[in-house]
Amino acid sequence: MTIWSMLEIEPTHELAIIKKAYAKKLKSHHPEDDPEGYQQLREAYDTAVKWARSGQRIVSTVPSLVGEDKKEIAGAISKEIEKMVIQAEKVIRVDEVEEEDTEEEVEGATSIPHENEWALFRHLPIQLDADLQEEPADIFDRQIRELYADFSRRIKQASWHSLLNEDFMWSIEHRDRLRDKLMLFLDQYRNLPHAVWEALDSFFHFREDKEIFLQRYDNKLVEYILGQVDGSMEMRYECFLLQESLEFDIEHYLNLRRSAQFMLMEDKHTEAGQLLDEANKLFQNDPDLQLLRAKNCLDTADYMEALVCLDRVTTMWPNERDGYLLRGRLLYYLQRYEEAMKDCEYLLQEDAGNRDVQCLILECKIARSQIEEALTQTETNESKKDEFIHFRFLANKSMLKNKKLYPQRLRISSLVTIGKNIMGPILFYLLVFLKLSWFYILVYTICYFSVSELPPLVNAVFILIFLWKIRKICKTAYLFSN
C-alpha cells in the first residue's frame, strides 16, 4: 500500500493537502480503536511530509511503501542522512583549510572564528534542546497568546490558519492537551472575529463534538463559542482596520461591547447603558456599538437619541442594512412616514423580496390612508408556498381587507379573486360527485339509448340515487367548512 493510497490523495508537495487528508483519516483510525491502522497512517503522514519538504524525490523507494518493508525505508533514509553528514564535513574541512591559510599569511594576528561558522554552530544546539524539552501544548499556548496580543494579526483568519497548520498541532497524542490549553485561553480572551472562530472550529470541531465539550468544560463558555461559530452573536471588526492607529485600550473596549450585548439579551438596560456610554467615549466609529446603543434607547423609549445613533450608522456605513431598517421602523413610530418610505425604497434596491421591508411599506401606506395602493401591494407580493411566513405582513394584509375598518371600492382584481374562490370548490365537488356516481350514470346512459322510452319509475329511481349522492357531498362540505 502506498502512502498516497493510505492518505487517499494524489502525490503532492502541498503540506496543507497532506495535513487535511491526515485529519480526515484520523476519524477512521483512532489510536485507541485501531492502533495498527493509526501506526500505518502516522508513518504515511510523516513520510509524505518529509518527501514534500524535500522538494524533490531524493529516493524513489522511500515514499512508496508503508508497513511492508520498514528495513528498506530505514536503510534508504539512513543513507541520505550519511550523505548529508559527509557534505557537512566537507564544508567544515574547506573552512578549516581556508582558516589555516589565512593564519599562515597573517602571522601574529588574533584568531577570530568566521562569521558563517558562528552562525552555523552558535544557536543550533540550544534551539534543538528547547524544541525537545517544550511540549506541543506549551508551544501552542505561547504562540496563541503572542498572536492574540498582536491585534492586527489577531483579526486575520490567515494568521490562525498558519498557526493551526504547524507540525506540533498534528500530534494526536497531545490532541486533548491542545484542546485544554485552547479552552483555558478562551475562558479569559474571547474577542475574535467570526472568521477566526470558523478557523478554530475547522480544527477543534466545536459543533461536531459539542457533547464532548459540554461534558468536559464550562457550559456557558461552550455555548458562547457555539454562538460565535454559527454567527448568531457575531460582532464585526472591520471598522478598526480603517483607523490609522488605535489610541485606546482595544481589549477593554471589546470587553465593554461584548458585555453590553449580553446585558441587552438579558433585558438589563440600565447596566447595558452604562457600558455602552463608556465604550462610546473610547470609540464612536463602530456600527455594532451604535446599533446596540440604538436598540437600548428604543427599549428605554429614548427615541431621539436612538435616531441620532442610527443616523450616525447610516452616515458612516451606507451599506449597513440593519441601520436603515431599524431607522425606518423608528420613523414610522414617530409618524414620519415619508422618511420611513425612503429608507425602505433604498433597502428594496438591494433586496426586493425582503418581507420586513415590504411589511413596513404596507404599514406606512395604511397610516397614510393609501388603501388602494396597499391592497395592490398585497396582491403583487403574494407569498410563495415554500416561503417563510411573515406573520406581521399577513396580519396587516388581513386587517386591510376588513371593509368595516377600511372602506374600499370593488375592483376587477377583487372580482377575479372572488371568482377563483367560488369556482375552485365547485369544480372540486363536481369531481367528487362523478367519482361516486359514475357507475349509475353509465347504466342510465346505456338504458336511455337502448330503450326508446324509459318507464317513469326507472327515471325516478335514478333521480333518487343522484339526489342521495348530492346529499352526501353537501354534508361532507358542511363538515369541512365547520
Coordinates of all heavy atoms in Angstrom, one line a residue, residues 205-239:
H205 N -13.3 21.3 16.0 CA -14.6 20.7 15.8 C -15.6 20.9 17.0 O -16.1 20.0 17.6 CB -14.5 19.2 15.6 CG -13.5 18.8 14.5 ND1 -13.7 19.1 13.2 CD2 -12.3 18.1 14.6 CE1 -12.7 18.6 12.5 NE2 -11.8 18.1 13.3
F206 N -15.8 22.2 17.3 CA -16.7 22.6 18.4 C -18.1 22.1 18.1 O -18.8 21.5 19.0 CB -16.7 24.1 18.5 CG -15.4 24.7 18.9 CD1 -14.8 25.7 18.1 CD2 -14.8 24.4 20.1 CE1 -13.6 26.2 18.4 CE2 -13.6 24.9 20.5 CZ -13.0 25.8 19.6
R207 N -18.6 22.3 16.9 CA -20.0 21.9 16.6 C -20.1 20.4 16.5 O -21.1 19.8 17.0 CB -20.5 22.5 15.3 CG -20.8 24.0 15.4 CD -21.2 24.6 14.1 NE -20.0 24.7 13.2 CZ -20.0 25.4 12.1 NH1 -21.1 26.1 11.7 NH2 -18.9 25.5 11.3
E208 N -19.2 19.7 15.9 CA -19.3 18.3 15.7 C -19.1 17.5 17.0 O -19.8 16.5 17.2 CB -18.2 17.9 14.7 CG -18.2 16.4 14.3 CD -17.2 16.0 13.3 OE1 -16.6 17.0 12.7 OE2 -16.9 14.8 13.2
D209 N -18.2 18.0 17.9 CA -18.0 17.4 19.2 C -18.6 18.2 20.3 O -18.1 18.3 21.4 CB -16.5 17.2 19.4 CG -15.8 16.4 18.4 OD1 -16.5 15.5 17.7 OD2 -14.6 16.6 18.1
K210 N -19.8 18.7 20.1 CA -20.5 19.6 21.1 C -20.7 18.9 22.4 O -20.4 19.4 23.5 CB -21.8 20.0 20.5 CG -22.6 20.9 21.5 CD -24.0 21.3 20.9 CE -24.8 22.0 21.9 NZ -26.2 22.4 21.3
E211 N -21.1 17.6 22.4 CA -21.4 16.9 23.6 C -20.1 16.7 24.4 O -20.2 16.8 25.7 CB -22.1 15.6 23.3 CG -23.4 15.7 22.6 CD -24.4 16.5 23.4 OE1 -24.4 16.4 24.7 OE2 -25.2 17.2 22.9
I212 N -19.0 16.4 23.8 CA -17.8 16.2 24.5 C -17.3 17.5 25.2 O -16.9 17.5 26.3 CB -16.7 15.8 23.5 CG1 -17.0 14.4 22.9 CG2 -15.3 15.7 24.2 CD1 -16.1 13.9 21.8
F213 N -17.5 18.6 24.5 CA -17.1 19.9 25.1 C -18.0 20.3 26.3 O -17.5 20.8 27.3 CB -17.2 21.0 24.0 CG -16.0 21.1 23.1 CD1 -16.0 20.4 21.9 CD2 -14.9 21.8 23.5 CE1 -14.8 20.5 21.1 CE2 -13.7 21.9 22.7 CZ -13.7 21.2 21.5
L214 N -19.3 20.0 26.1 CA -20.2 20.3 27.2 C -19.9 19.4 28.5 O -20.2 19.9 29.6 CB -21.7 20.0 26.8 CG -22.2 21.1 25.8 CD1 -23.6 20.6 25.3 CD2 -22.3 22.5 26.4
Q215 N -19.4 18.2 28.3 CA -19.1 17.3 29.4 C -17.8 17.7 30.1 O -17.7 17.6 31.3 CB -19.0 15.9 28.9 CG -20.3 15.3 28.5 CD -20.2 13.9 27.9 OE1 -19.0 13.4 27.9 NE2 -21.2 13.3 27.4
R216 N -16.9 18.3 29.3 CA -15.5 18.5 29.9 C -15.3 19.9 30.3 O -14.4 20.2 31.2 CB -14.4 18.1 28.8 CG -14.4 16.6 28.5 CD -13.2 16.3 27.7 NE -11.9 16.7 28.3 CZ -10.7 16.4 27.9 NH1 -10.6 15.8 26.7 NH2 -9.7 16.7 28.5
Y217 N -16.0 20.9 29.7 CA -15.7 22.3 30.0 C -17.0 23.0 30.5 O -18.1 22.5 30.4 CB -15.2 23.0 28.7 CG -14.0 22.2 28.2 CD1 -14.1 21.4 27.0 CD2 -12.7 22.3 28.8 CE1 -13.1 20.7 26.5 CE2 -11.7 21.6 28.3 CZ -11.8 20.8 27.1 OH -10.8 20.1 26.6
D218 N -16.8 24.3 30.9 CA -17.9 25.1 31.4 C -18.9 25.3 30.3 O -18.6 25.7 29.2 CB -17.3 26.5 31.8 CG -18.4 27.4 32.4 OD1 -19.1 27.0 33.3 OD2 -18.6 28.5 31.8
N219 N -20.2 25.0 30.6 CA -21.2 25.1 29.6 C -21.5 26.5 29.1 O -21.8 26.6 27.9 CB -22.5 24.5 30.2 CG -22.5 23.0 30.4 OD1 -21.5 22.4 30.1 ND2 -23.5 22.4 30.9
K220 N -21.3 27.5 29.9 CA -21.5 28.9 29.4 C -20.5 29.2 28.4 O -20.7 29.9 27.4 CB -21.5 29.8 30.6 CG -22.7 29.7 31.5 CD -22.7 30.8 32.6 CE -23.9 30.8 33.4 NZ -23.9 31.8 34.5
L221 N -19.2 28.8 28.6 CA -18.1 29.1 27.7 C -18.4 28.3 26.4 O -18.2 28.9 25.3 CB -16.8 28.6 28.3 CG -15.6 28.7 27.3 CD1 -15.4 30.1 26.9 CD2 -14.3 28.1 28.0
V222 N -18.8 27.1 26.5 CA -19.1 26.3 25.2 C -20.2 26.9 24.4 O -20.2 27.0 23.2 CB -19.4 24.8 25.6 CG1 -19.8 24.0 24.4 CG2 -18.2 24.2 26.3
E223 N -21.3 27.3 25.1 CA -22.4 28.0 24.4 C -22.0 29.3 23.8 O -22.5 29.6 22.7 CB -23.6 28.2 25.4 CG -24.3 27.0 26.0 CD -24.9 26.1 24.9 OE1 -25.3 26.7 23.8 OE2 -25.1 24.9 25.1
Y224 N -21.1 30.0 24.4 CA -20.6 31.2 23.8 C -19.8 30.9 22.6 O -20.0 31.6 21.5 CB -19.7 32.0 24.8 CG -19.1 33.2 24.3 CD1 -19.7 34.4 24.2 CD2 -17.8 33.1 23.8 CE1 -19.1 35.5 23.7 CE2 -17.1 34.2 23.2 CZ -17.8 35.4 23.2 OH -17.2 36.5 22.7
I225 N -19.0 29.9 22.6 CA -18.2 29.6 21.4 C -19.1 29.1 20.3 O -18.9 29.5 19.1 CB -17.2 28.4 21.8 CG1 -16.1 29.0 22.8 CG2 -16.5 27.9 20.6 CD1 -15.2 27.9 23.4
L226 N -20.1 28.3 20.6 CA -21.0 27.8 19.5 C -21.8 29.0 18.9 O -22.0 29.0 17.7 CB -22.0 26.8 20.1 CG -21.3 25.5 20.6 CD1 -22.4 24.6 21.3 CD2 -20.7 24.7 19.4
G227 N -22.2 30.0 19.8 CA -22.8 31.2 19.2 C -21.9 32.0 18.3 O -22.4 32.6 17.3
Q228 N -20.7 32.0 18.6 CA -19.7 32.8 17.8 C -19.5 32.0 16.5 O -19.3 32.6 15.4 CB -18.4 33.0 18.5 CG -18.5 33.9 19.7 CD -18.9 35.3 19.4 OE1 -18.6 35.8 18.3 NE2 -19.4 36.0 20.3
V229 N -19.4 30.7 16.6 CA -19.1 29.9 15.4 C -20.3 29.9 14.4 O -20.0 30.1 13.2 CB -18.8 28.4 15.8 CG1 -18.8 27.5 14.5 CG2 -17.5 28.3 16.5
D230 N -21.5 29.8 14.8 CA -22.6 29.9 13.9 C -23.0 31.3 13.5 O -23.9 31.4 12.6 CB -23.9 29.1 14.5 CG -24.4 29.7 15.8 OD1 -24.2 31.0 15.9 OD2 -25.0 29.0 16.6
G231 N -22.4 32.3 14.1 CA -22.6 33.7 13.6 C -23.8 34.4 14.3 O -24.1 35.5 14.0
S232 N -24.5 33.7 15.2 CA -25.7 34.3 15.8 C -25.3 35.4 16.8 O -26.2 36.3 17.1 CB -26.5 33.2 16.6 OG -25.7 32.6 17.6
M233 N -24.1 35.4 17.3 CA -23.6 36.5 18.2 C -22.4 37.3 17.6 O -21.6 37.8 18.3 CB -23.3 35.9 19.5 CG -24.4 35.2 20.2 SD -23.9 34.3 21.7 CE -23.2 35.6 22.7
E234 N -22.4 37.3 16.3 CA -21.2 37.8 15.6 C -21.1 39.4 15.8 O -22.1 40.1 15.7 CB -21.3 37.6 14.1 CG -20.1 38.2 13.3 CD -20.3 38.0 11.8 OE1 -21.3 37.4 11.4 OE2 -19.4 38.4 11.1
M235 N -19.9 39.8 16.1 CA -19.6 41.3 16.2 C -18.5 41.5 15.3 O -17.5 40.7 15.2 CB -19.2 41.6 17.7 CG -20.3 41.4 18.7 SD -21.7 42.5 18.6 CE -21.1 43.9 19.5
R236 N -18.6 42.6 14.5 CA -17.6 42.9 13.5 C -16.4 43.7 13.9 O -16.4 44.4 14.9 CB -18.3 43.6 12.3 CG -19.3 42.7 11.6 CD -20.3 43.6 10.8 NE -21.1 44.4 11.6 CZ -22.2 45.1 11.2 NH1 -22.4 45.1 9.9 NH2 -22.9 45.8 12.0
Y237 N -15.3 43.5 13.1 CA -14.0 44.1 13.5 C -13.5 45.0 12.3 O -12.4 45.5 12.4 CB -13.0 43.0 13.8 CG -13.3 42.3 15.2 CD1 -14.3 41.4 15.3 CD2 -12.5 42.6 16.3 CE1 -14.6 40.8 16.5 CE2 -12.7 42.0 17.5 CZ -13.8 41.1 17.6 OH -14.0 40.5 18.8
E238 N -14.2 45.1 11.2 CA -13.7 45.8 10.0 C -13.4 47.3 10.3 O -12.5 47.9 9.7 CB -14.6 45.6 8.9 CG -14.7 44.2 8.3 CD -15.7 43.4 9.1 OE1 -16.2 43.9 10.1 OE2 -16.0 42.2 8.6
C239 N -14.2 47.8 11.2 CA -14.1 49.3 11.5 C -12.8 49.6 12.1 O -12.3 50.8 11.9 CB -15.2 49.8 12.4 SG -15.3 48.9 14.0

